[in-house]
């Protein structure tokens, strides 16, 4: 009856709308008139219209409750309550190169995707993952948030790669109190029609992904690069928000997966409603209240077109990566204990973003190079300081020093991550071991992922460039520290 | 191939945690060093700590005992180590593992104590399973066992309680609490030990004093091999061995021998032994004339009482040194029952014990993989009992355990990742709970009455399973068994 879908983007398999199990006499629980067509939770049968209303209501409620995307100011026009007053665009990221699909396959997929994008009537963009190689290092910098109102109408770019969703009620024009108006024009982005991306970039991308040893690290890397790319596109086209179609089930799985990857400190950002660690662009997850089942049924009942594209872990066995394993586990648990997903979801709601020490806007507290969260490797008594984080290369380099009661095993300056955040400004390591210097700038989970890359060279140049820049800056800061008058008390590179 | 650490001997194993190829001696050394680092990093022990080791006969506790003894010898710490084992009353499982425990005790020559569920809570696990079936029994066993450990630790006058939980256990617990939404057990900022305070008016009482036992004396007796107290009967034998059989009966009935065969908790007669004016009883409901009681509901005339609900006429409390007979082991000094705190005038009480109501539970093996523990035990040929509890296959934790094993097969680093993640959880600090003392039995609880007492009560009045969930808010109307614990009522 209800399939918890395990394939990306596929609608519910073809079967007639399921009749409610208990009795044929049962009516929709909401309007109590029509025949129900779908059962959401145990015992809640809805008819088609009520289901749509329920679904839409949840979506709006999520947006409204969090007050991040709001319509024009006071003085709403008459029927403004019915419409979402923002203008979204749609973006599709073509990741075929990452898992070795040929150009024909990719253009075939694109040909399927484009009509869907055009049919939404919104401005759309198609971008290939290879473009990460032409990204500027500024992508990794956390720019300050723009003061509200300086921009024109609020726009949002919708990431519909995973689940193409019918965008509900494309809003009308911007409110009367807004500044400049930017009416939407459903024009194709000229970039996407420029032909297939350069072969060199495609080659570089596939080389990068081939060099990654484990599937887990591949998926993580893919997500990171995709995020950066979308961020860049959003900034380039003036979008201030990015919406993703993560459903409740997916977020619960993501939460547990991130737990297993060591991202416990950042769960609030990774799975919460809004994620503002990038500064000016905010990632929003309006569908986090909808279970995958509801999404699948919505797609089915209202004929929302979707395209299935294989992902990096399609057809991989269950034990291949932590993502697969966790997904299978949660879904299996859900069958035994039907409240698992909602429990995990409620727990994620209770997660509060830990207050940052020091002034806000993250200028002084160091951020991870890749995921832009505050670094979490300083705690002296955490398991990471135990030595689990030292890469096997470095641990072999060091000679085993005899332990005394007061000393922890020492090593070269870079490898002891305890409390030395950007401390590798020592000249020696800067030149001899750039790899370790990059690792120093990563949070714990990014470090663990990077361990699966035998060499950091195939990474896109913007990452390496930014890492270099930060190292230099830290080194310079160290040199001139004596002359600076500090008015804040957290300084990078404190020993 | 030569070992990577000493470069002298031949490699014989690959270490799961850091994939180093080591010889046998180097592995043993590095494993012990890792545990030592854990102890140091977490500031687990102080000088002269009385460390109570919870042993079950399984591999973790055997390895833990061995390592602690070795580390103490190697670095010359001044700890005092004790062994504590709990008998849940599971046939075919616990009785076998207890044999190993006795063996361990002989090998390392440490004082041992075995406490039984039957004596403390008046139910064995087999009884519990008969009542509530096989689904939720792990909860009951866990709650009971933890309390039993704490009570046992008090007996030893311990300052720290250590258990053999390893990294896999920790990861399992974290995932389990996540799946259950149990944020109180998850987040460090909510569970900060330092910020616990005891919000009970009886803060200055030493619990172990109230229990009427001063373990110091027992230990002292052992050291000097003196037989000062003939009320500790023939069960105390040689210099190196303390063993309580822990079968029935009462503490301190007048000037008769105090321990007939051992001690019991919670089961005793009311108003015992009116022969003397000073009947000392333990925990639970006590009535009688001239009774000095311990924790719990007490009524009577001329009662001197301890913590708990007290009523009565002429209740005058404070500073009663009830050493009526020299033959009695020092008995309790109690506190005034209406909220004014008073000191313990117990002469044998070392002053540092005044506020140690809280014995921290520590896990020195917390960052060691289970695989490595097994390897360690294998190389040192340590004896341990390795059969699964008969009731465990149906448990929620069992599902998670097999999942953790699957994760480890991908990469054992994930276990430490999970532990690392949990260190940084941050929940809303408004939900902090403070620690209180159960008014029925005196154990720690975050509510008024501790879970163990609720469970015992529930088992006695068993009609359905709802007492297992009595503390949780439930949306549906679960039938609740009324448990009377209002103050002022007997």
């Amino acid at each position: 009856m209800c399939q918890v879908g395990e394939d990306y983007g596929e609608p519910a398999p073809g079967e007639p709308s399921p009749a409610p199990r208990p009795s044929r006499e049962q009516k929709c629980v909401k309007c109590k008139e029509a025949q129900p067509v779908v059962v959401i939770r145990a015992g809640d049968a809805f008819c088609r219209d009520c289901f749509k209303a329920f679904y839409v209501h949840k979506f709006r409620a999520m947006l409204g409750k969090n007050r991040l995307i709001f319509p024009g100011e006071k003085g709403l026009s008459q029927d403004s309550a019915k419409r979402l007053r923002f203008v979204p665009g749609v973006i599709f990221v073509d990741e075929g190169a990452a898992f070795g699909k040929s150009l024909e396959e990719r253009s075939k997929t694109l040909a399927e995707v484009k009509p869907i994008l055009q049919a939404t009537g919104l401005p759309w963009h198609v971008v290939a993952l290879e473009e990460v190689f032409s990204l500027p290092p500024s992508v990794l910098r956390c720019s300050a948030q723009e003061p509200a109102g300086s921009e024109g109408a609020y726009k949002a770019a919708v990431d519909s790669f995973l689940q193409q969703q019918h965008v509900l009620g494309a809003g009308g024009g911007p409110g009367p109190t807004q500044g400049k108006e930017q009416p939407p024009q459903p024009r194709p982005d000229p970039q996407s029609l420029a032909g297939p991306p350069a072969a060199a970039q495609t080659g570089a991308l596939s080389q990068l992904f081939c060099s990654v040893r484990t599937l887990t690290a591949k998926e993580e890397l893919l997500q990171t690069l995709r995020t950066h790319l979308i961020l860049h596109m959003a900034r380039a086209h003036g979008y201030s928000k990015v919406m993703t179609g993560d459903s409740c089930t997916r977020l619960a799985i993501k939460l547990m997966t991130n737990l297993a990857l060591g991202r416990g400190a950042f769960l609030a950002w990774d799975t919460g409603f809004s994620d503002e660690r990038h500064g000016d662009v905010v990632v929003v997850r309006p569908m986090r209240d909808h279970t995958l089942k509801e999404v699948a049924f919505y797609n089915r009942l209202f004929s929302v077109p979707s395209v299935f594209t294989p992902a990096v872990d399609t057809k991989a066995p269950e034990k291949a990566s932590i993502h697969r394993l966790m997904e299978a586990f949660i879904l299996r648990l859900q069958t035994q204990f039907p409240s698992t997903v909602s429990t995990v979801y409620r727990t994620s709601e209770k997660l509060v973003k830990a207050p940052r020490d020091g002034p806000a806007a993250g200028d002084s507290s160091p951020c991870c190079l890749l995921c832009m969260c505050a670094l979490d490797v300083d705690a002296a008594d955490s398991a990471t300081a135990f030595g689990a984080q030292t890469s096997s290369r470095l641990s072999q380099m060091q000679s085993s020093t005899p332990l005394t009661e007061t000393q922890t095993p020492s090593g070269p300056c870079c490898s002891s991550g305890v409390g030395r955040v950007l401390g590798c400004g020592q000249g020696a390591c800067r030149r001899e071991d750039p790899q370790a210097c990059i690792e120093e700038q990563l949070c714990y989970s990014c470090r663990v992922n990077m361990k699966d890359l035998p060499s950091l060279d195939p990474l896109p140049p913007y990452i390496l460039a930014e890492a270099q820049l930060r190292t230099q800056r830290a080194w310079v800061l160290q040199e001139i520290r004596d002359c600076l008058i500090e008015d804040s008390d957290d300084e990078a590179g404190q020993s | 191939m030569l070992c990577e650490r000493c470069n002298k001997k031949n490699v014989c194993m690959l270490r799961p945690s850091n994939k180093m190829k080591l010889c046998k001696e180097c592995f043993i050394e590095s494993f012990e060093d890792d545990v030592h680092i854990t102890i140091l990093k977490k500031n687990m022990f102080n000088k002269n700590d009385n460390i109570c080791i919870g042993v079950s006969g399984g591999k973790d506790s055997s390895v833990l005992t061995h390592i602690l003894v070795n580390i103490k010898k190697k670095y010359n710490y001044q700890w005092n180590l004790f062994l504590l084992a709990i008998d849940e009353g599971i046939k075919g499982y616990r009785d076998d593992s207890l044999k190993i425990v006795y063996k361990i005790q002989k090998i390392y020559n440490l004082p041992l104590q075995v406490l039984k569920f039957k004596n403390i809570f008046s139910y064995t696990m087999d009884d519990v399973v008969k009542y509530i079936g096989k689904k939720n029994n792990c909860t009951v066993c866990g709650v009971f066992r933890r309390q039993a450990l704490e009570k046992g630790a008090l007996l030893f006058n311990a300052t720290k309680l250590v258990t053999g939980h390893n990294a896999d256990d920790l990861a399992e617990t974290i995932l389990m609490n996540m799946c259950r939404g149990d944020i109180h057990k998850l987040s460090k900022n909510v569970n900060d030990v330092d910020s616990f305070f005891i919000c009970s008016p009886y803060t200055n009482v030493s619990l172990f004093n109230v229990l009427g036992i001063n373990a110091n004396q027992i230990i002292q007796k052992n050291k000097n091999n003196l037989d000062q107290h003939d009320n500790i009967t023939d069960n105390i034998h040689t210099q190196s061995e303390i063993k309580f059989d822990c079968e029935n009966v009462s503490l301190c009935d007048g000037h008769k021998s105090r321990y007939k065969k051992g001690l019991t908790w919670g089961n005793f007669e009311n108003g015992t032994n009116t022969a003397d004016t000073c009947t000392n009883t333990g925990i639970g409901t006590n009535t009688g004339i001239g009774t000095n009681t311990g924790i719990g509901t007490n009524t009577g005339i001329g009662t001197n009482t301890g913590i708990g609900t007290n009523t009565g006429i002429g209740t005058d409390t404070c500073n009663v040194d009830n050493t009526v007979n020299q033959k009695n082991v020092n008995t309790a000094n109690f506190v005034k029952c209406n909220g004014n705190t008073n000191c313990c005038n117990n002469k044998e009480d070392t002053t540092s014990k005044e506020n140690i109501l809280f014995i921290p539970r520590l896990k020195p093996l917390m960052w060691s993989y289970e695989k490595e523990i097994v390897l360690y035990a294998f190389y040192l040929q340590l004896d341990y009992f390795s059969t699964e509890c008969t009731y465990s296959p149906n448990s929620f934790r069992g599902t998670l355990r097999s999942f953790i094993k699957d994760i480890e097969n991908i990469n054992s680093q994930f276990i430490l990742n999970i532990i690392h993640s949990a260190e940084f959880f941050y929940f809303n600090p408004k939900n902090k709970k403070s620690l209180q003392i159960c008014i029925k039995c005196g154990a720690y609880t975050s509510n008024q009455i501790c879970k163990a007492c609720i469970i015992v009560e529930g088992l006695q009045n068993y009609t359905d399973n709802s007492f297992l969930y009595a503390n949780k808010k439930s949306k549906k109307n679960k039938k609740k068994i009324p448990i009377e614990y209002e103050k002022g009522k007997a």
Side-chain angles (χ1 to χ4, degrees):
Chain A
M1 176 175 76
C2 49
Q3 302 259 1
V4 191
E6 294 200 50
D7 308 314
Y8 283 159
E10 214 165 60
E15 63 178 24
S17 309
R21 285 287 153 102
S23 75
R24 239 175 286 145
E25 309 305 321
Q26 190 178 16
K27 298 285 179 197
C28 164
V29 299
K30 202 147 181 237
C31 61
K32 310 226 189 316
E33 290 171 352
Q35 270 303 83
V37 297
V38 67
V39 178
I40 294 297
R41 296 171 286 265
D44 283 349
F46 287 97
C47 67
R48 196 187 144 100
D49 298 320
C50 291
F51 175 59
K52 179 166 188 169
F54 165 76
Y55 193 89
V56 172
H57 167 76
K58 257 206 200 175
F59 189 82
R60 282 180 199 285
M62 178 59 71
L63 288 182
K65 187 167 65 161
N66 287 288
R67 294 190 180 284
L68 264 195
I69 299 177
F70 46 98
E73 305 311 321
K74 339 280 175 163
L76 302 168
S77 59
Q78 194 172 22
D79 58 345
S80 64
K82 301 282 183 198
R83 296 153 119 202
L84 292 173
R85 321 254 294 150
F86 59 88
V87 185
V90 182
I91 184 170
F92 174 77
V93 177
D94 173 19
E95 299 174 356
F99 16 100
K101 287 171 74 174
S102 68
L103 277 176
E104 301 88 47
E105 292 174 340
R106 292 168 64 185
S107 37
K108 206 165 57 154
T109 315
L110 278 179
E112 288 178 43
V113 168
K114 279 210 188 101
I116 301 182
L117 293 178
Q118 275 162 346
T120 60
L122 303 165
W124 56 272
H125 317 269
V126 171
V127 81
L129 194 61
E130 286 88 329
E131 316 244 347
V132 288
F133 284 96
S134 28
L135 285 182
S138 57
V139 166
L140 295 176
R141 279 178 223 143
C142 190
S143 11
Q145 211 157 9
E146 295 188 13
S150 72
E151 210 185 311
Y154 280 119
K155 292 182 175 189
V158 178
D159 174 343
S160 59
F161 173 62
L162 290 179
Q163 287 151 21
Q164 310 253 352
Q165 280 306 302
H166 223 40
V167 175
L168 309 157
T177 55
Q178 292 298 334
K180 350 177 228 156
E181 291 189 81
Q182 292 188 17
Q185 285 154 14
R187 50 165 174 56
D189 189 275
Q191 208 169 359
S192 63
L193 292 185
Q201 288 188 332
T202 312
L205 191 67
S206 48
Q207 192 200 358
L208 170 62
F209 275 90
C210 286
S211 74
V212 180
R213 285 192 280 240
T214 62
L215 189 57
T216 306
K218 254 190 228 189
E219 288 207 38
E220 286 296 305
L221 186 63
L222 187 64
Q223 277 186 24
T224 314
L225 294 180
R226 188 199 305 154
T227 313
H228 292 166
L229 190 59
I230 294 181
L231 215 60
H232 174 76
M233 292 295 293
R235 280 187 184 138
H237 295 271
Y239 291 105
S240 66
K241 309 267 186 313
V242 174
M243 279 192 189
T244 62
D246 291 319
S247 63
C248 180
T249 316
R250 295 245 182 257
L251 278 181
I253 296 173
K254 189 171 182 188
L255 184 95
M256 299 295 282
T257 313
N258 282 355
L259 190 65
L261 287 171
R263 295 182 65 83
F266 317 128
L267 288 178
W269 284 276
D270 286 340
T271 56
F273 174 72
S274 72
D275 176 4
E276 68 290 309
R277 63 184 125 137
H278 305 286
D280 51 348
V281 177
V282 180
V283 179
V284 168
R285 300 181 184 100
M287 284 175 51
R288 66 192 293 260
D289 220 357
H290 299 133
T291 61
L292 208 54
K293 181 178 166 186
E294 293 169 16
V295 172
F297 275 118
Y298 186 92
N299 285 1
R300 168 105 191 127
L301 289 178
F302 300 102
S303 310
V304 176
S306 56
V307 176
F308 173 73
T309 48
V312 107
D313 62 349
T314 304
K315 287 196 179 171
E318 193 181 287
K319 312 256 171 96
S321 77
I322 187 72
H323 302 79
R324 293 287 280 172
L325 195 62
M326 192 59 82
E327 186 178 0
F329 174 67
I330 297 264
L331 296 176
R332 202 169 43 226
L333 214 58
Q334 174 80 2
T335 56
Q336 289 180 336
F337 306 98
S339 58
T340 305
V341 166
S342 47
T343 308
V344 176
Y345 171 65
R346 301 266 159 253
T347 313
S348 77
E349 278 190 324
K350 296 200 182 109
L351 285 168
V352 164
K353 295 174 184 169
R356 280 193 179 184
D357 326 309
D363 268 351
S364 34
S365 51
C367 293
C368 171
L369 185 67
L370 291 179
C371 63
M372 275 159 275
C373 297
L375 288 182
D376 63 343
V377 280
D378 297 353
D381 64 346
S382 74
T384 52
F386 187 51
Q389 62 166 344
T390 56
S391 64
S392 48
R393 293 186 293 268
L394 292 169
S395 70
Q396 281 166 19
M397 271 161 50
Q398 79 198 32
S399 55
S400 62
T401 52
L403 290 172
T404 63
E405 277 188 46
T406 52
Q407 206 184 358
T408 61
S410 58
C413 67
C414 282
S415 68
S416 65
V418 183
R420 323 277 316 283
V421 174
L422 291 177
C424 67
Q426 326 286 340
C429 86
R430 184 162 58 104
R431 274 159 226 130
E432 285 164 16
D433 204 353
Q435 207 144 358
C437 288
I438 293 187
E439 281 202 5
E440 281 261 330
Q441 300 173 29
L442 299 175
C443 66
Y444 175 78
S445 59
C446 293
R447 276 186 216 197
V448 168
N449 282 334
M450 284 302 124
K451 265 198 233 172
D452 284 334
L453 258 78
S455 139
L456 294 182
D457 298 327
L459 280 177
Y462 72 99
I463 297 180
L464 300 169
E466 177 69 16
Q468 180 81 352
L469 195 69
R470 287 194 193 184
T471 322
Q472 290 218 332
R473 202 183 292 150
W475 183 69
V476 165
L477 202 61
Q478 194 101 3
E479 295 260 302
I480 62 174
R481 179 199 300 283
D482 311 329
C483 312
L484 291 178
I485 301 176
E486 300 168 6
D487 50 8
S488 69
D489 50 355
D490 56 3
E491 199 65 52
Q494 207 71 274
S495 58
Chain B
M1 210 185 333
L2 287 181
C3 161
E4 290 176 14
R5 192 169 179 263
C6 62
N7 276 318
K8 289 185 209 146
K9 306 211 182 79
N10 276 331
V11 167
C12 75
M13 56 92 69
L14 175 73
R15 196 169 170 195
S17 59
N18 54 10
K19 302 273 189 276
M20 280 177 75
K21 303 194 176 71
L22 300 171
C23 65
K24 173 174 152 185
E25 287 76 12
C26 282
F27 168 65
I28 293 175
E29 262 183 45
S30 53
F31 186 73
E32 290 185 1
D33 287 338
D34 285 347
V35 177
H36 189 222
I37 293 177
T38 310
I39 294 177
L40 291 175
K41 275 234 173 330
K42 285 275 184 187
N43 293 322
M44 285 191 181
F45 302 129
N46 302 319
K47 206 175 166 187
N48 296 328
D49 259 339
N50 289 338
I51 302 175
C52 180
I53 309 179
V55 287
S56 61
K59 58 178 178 351
D60 297 330
S61 41
S62 308
V63 165
L64 177 68
T65 316
H66 184 89
I67 286 190
L68 280 182
V69 166
N70 274 5
I71 289 185
K72 175 183 169 188
K73 215 184 337 180
K74 186 169 170 186
Y75 296 100
N76 216 7
Y77 288 123
Q78 310 294 324
W79 305 330
N80 297 318
L81 298 173
F82 311 102
L83 297 175
L84 173 65
I86 308 289
D87 181 0
E88 302 102 341
I90 301 178
K91 254 207 167 73
Y93 170 63
R94 191 48 84 201
D95 30 6
D96 289 337
S97 65
L98 277 181
K99 296 193 189 124
I100 307 277
V101 173
Y102 292 133
K103 232 198 264 187
I104 293 180
Q105 192 244 329
K106 285 205 164 62
I107 295 177
Y108 301 108
N109 218 8
L110 299 170
L112 164 70
Q113 171 152 245
V114 180
L115 297 185
K116 293 193 183 182
F117 272 13
K118 187 83 189 174
N119 293 337
I120 305 180
F121 306 107
S122 66
Y123 288 100
T124 65
M125 272 317 290
D126 288 336
D127 298 333
V128 171
V129 169
K130 254 186 273 178
Y131 279 135
I132 66 176
K134 292 196 178 177
K135 198 126 193 243
N136 281 317
N137 42 353
C138 287
T139 312
V140 174
C141 186
V143 169
F144 279 179
R145 192 160 5 117
R146 187 170 55 79
Q147 270 219 5
L149 278 175
E150 283 177 5
K151 291 186 159 71
L154 285 175
L155 268 193
F156 275 127
N157 201 2
T159 50
K160 301 277 157 73
L161 174 63
V162 303
T163 48
H165 289 98
N166 54 35
D168 296 46
D169 290 332
L170 225 61
E172 227 170 79
T173 309
I174 292 169
L175 282 185
M176 188 170 87
N177 289 331
M178 202 54 161
C179 286
R180 294 233 150 129
D182 217 334
I183 58 172
H184 293 290
K185 298 188 188 143
L186 269 181
S187 62
K188 224 169 130 184
N189 68 315
V190 171
N191 284 335
D192 210 354
V193 171
D194 299 329
S195 55
F196 271 148
F197 58 93
I198 320 286
C199 63
S200 140
Y202 313 105
T203 337
N204 278 339
V205 169
S206 260
L207 259 187
F208 78 91
N209 271 338
V210 179
L211 294 177
I213 304 148
N214 190 337
N216 263 338
Q217 287 208 322
I218 299 175
I219 298 162
Q220 190 63 37
K221 169 210 173 333
N222 249 4
K223 283 191 184 152
N224 306 333
N225 204 11
L226 294 173
D227 199 15
Q228 327 159 322
H229 308 281
D230 61 345
N231 47 3
I232 301 179
T233 64
D234 40 292
N235 276 334
I236 313 286
H237 301 304
T238 66
Q239 188 171 9
S240 61
E241 178 184 313
I242 292 186
K243 198 164 111 182
F244 290 89
D245 265 341
C246 296
E247 294 182 29
N248 46 3
V249 198
S250 47
L251 307 168
C252 188
D253 43 6
H255 53 248
K256 291 189 203 161
S257 93
R258 180 154 182 188
Y259 304 106
K260 284 195 193 140
K261 270 209 169 178
L263 21 109
T264 181
W265 314 81
N267 283 338
F268 33 69
E269 307 109 332
N270 290 339
T272 26
N273 297 329
T274 53
D276 261 348
T277 47
C278 286
T279 339
N280 289 319
T281 61
I283 317 168
T285 336
N286 321 302
T287 59
I289 308 176
T291 34
N292 290 319
T293 62
I295 319 169
T297 339
N298 319 302
T299 60
I301 310 175
T303 33
N304 292 320
T305 62
I307 311 176
T309 336
N310 317 303
T311 59
I313 311 169
T315 31
D316 198 7
T317 60
C318 95
N319 297 352
V320 182
D321 37 7
N322 295 320
T323 50
V324 173
N325 278 323
Q326 297 309 328
K327 291 191 185 165
N328 277 343
V329 174
N330 167 56
T331 64
N333 284 321
F334 302 109
V335 179
K336 207 161 169 185
C337 66
N338 57 1
N340 292 338
T341 59
N342 269 320
C343 50
C344 311
N345 203 11
N346 187 354
K347 295 183 191 102
E348 278 84 2
D349 181 27
T350 56
T351 50
S352 66
K353 299 294 183 290
E354 281 216 313
N355 276 325
I356 46 128
L357 296 182
F358 189 69
I359 300 185
R361 267 176 281 137
L362 302 164
K363 303 164 188 143
L365 296 179
M366 61 195 284
W367 291 335
S368 311
Y369 291 125
E370 191 163 10
K371 264 195 209 161
E372 299 201 343
I373 292 180
V374 174
L375 278 166
Y376 182 84
F378 170 70
Y379 281 130
L380 286 176
Q381 296 181 334
L382 297 177
D383 213 355
Y384 61 87
F385 184 72
S386 59
T387 306
E388 287 249 312
C389 172
T390 37
Y391 299 127
S392 69
N394 304 322
S395 64
F396 187 62
R397 196 178 263 269
T399 329
L400 275 162
R401 181 164 300 146
S402 47
F403 177 61
I404 293 271
K405 287 283 159 270
D406 288 340
I407 292 186
E408 257 195 293
N409 283 337
I410 301 183
N411 187 350
S412 47
Q413 175 79 16
F414 285 124
I415 307 293
L416 281 187
N417 287 353
I418 295 178
I419 299 179
H420 172 85
S421 297
E423 309 239 338
F424 289 94
F425 275 160
Y426 197 81
F427 289 99
N428 202 338
K430 278 189 271 180
N431 295 329
K432 220 172 190 175
K433 285 194 172 175
S434 55
L435 201 59
Q436 304 173 46
I437 294 189
C438 171
I439 55 183
K440 278 200 107 187
C441 73
Y444 289 105
T445 167
S446 44
N447 304 303
Q448 272 193 309
I449 188 167
C450 71
K451 190 85 194 259
C453 289
I454 293 182
I455 292 179
V456 169
E457 189 83 24
L459 285 173
Q460 285 167 355
N461 310 326
Y462 177 72
T463 48
D464 65 9
N465 264 356
S466 64
F467 64 87
L468 288 174
Y469 309 106
N471 272 343
K472 295 199 178 154
K473 298 177 196 147
S474 63
K475 290 187 187 148
K476 304 183 191 155
N477 281 338
K478 291 209 169 107
K479 191 164 40 151
K480 275 197 165 182
I481 300 169
I483 299 173
E484 286 178 316
Y485 53 80
E486 288 102 338
K487 293 194 175 165
K489 289 192 194 156

